[in-house]
Amino acid sequence: MKKFLTTAFAAVVVAGSAMADPVSGVWKTEVDDGAYAHITMAPCGSAICGTISKAFDASGPIQTANIGKKLVWDMQASGGGAYKNGKIWQPSTGKTYKSKMALSGNTLKVSGCVGPICKKQTWTRVK
């Protein structure tokens, strides 16, 4: 019984820490091909995922079929604000990159590579 309670407590602690991940929230991307987005980052299983929640161009909010699509997935926290082993999708090109992220306060540096081609952006926290 003691082992069961210890295991149950550990599971609750792990689940609670995943839900309170510091990268969770809404992030504004940099402009790409004339548009930018708000990405809602949240735990998805044992990883972190980001979904396009709003899209904008120079004139303001826009409607696009990309709203609701995952932009980031399989991102694993590795400590100290670092995340690795994820994937990120670039809507303007349709390419998926191997990705990593670095969180520092309200700034999230996101980078990804497909073969020798790498790209990076700095996102800012919306909320």
Side-chain angles (χ1 to χ4, degrees), residues 43-116:
C44 56
S46 63
I48 298 293
C49 296
T51 303
I52 301 170
S53 49
K54 292 183 182 178
F56 303 85
D57 65 13
S59 62
I62 58 173
Q63 292 300 313
T64 172
N66 292 332
I67 294 175
K69 291 185 178 181
K70 279 191 182 170
L71 188 84
V72 175
W73 62 96
D74 293 340
M75 200 62 72
Q76 304 292 320
S78 59
Y83 297 82
K84 62 181 183 177
N85 299 327
K87 301 274 192 258
I88 190 165
W89 172 60
Q90 184 180 22
S92 64
T93 63
K95 292 184 180 179
T96 300
Y97 296 79
K98 291 180 182 179
S99 184
K100 62 183 179 178
M101 305 185 307
L103 176 65
S104 178
N106 290 323
T107 300
L108 184 63
K109 294 188 183 283
V110 180
S111 59
C113 299
V114 172

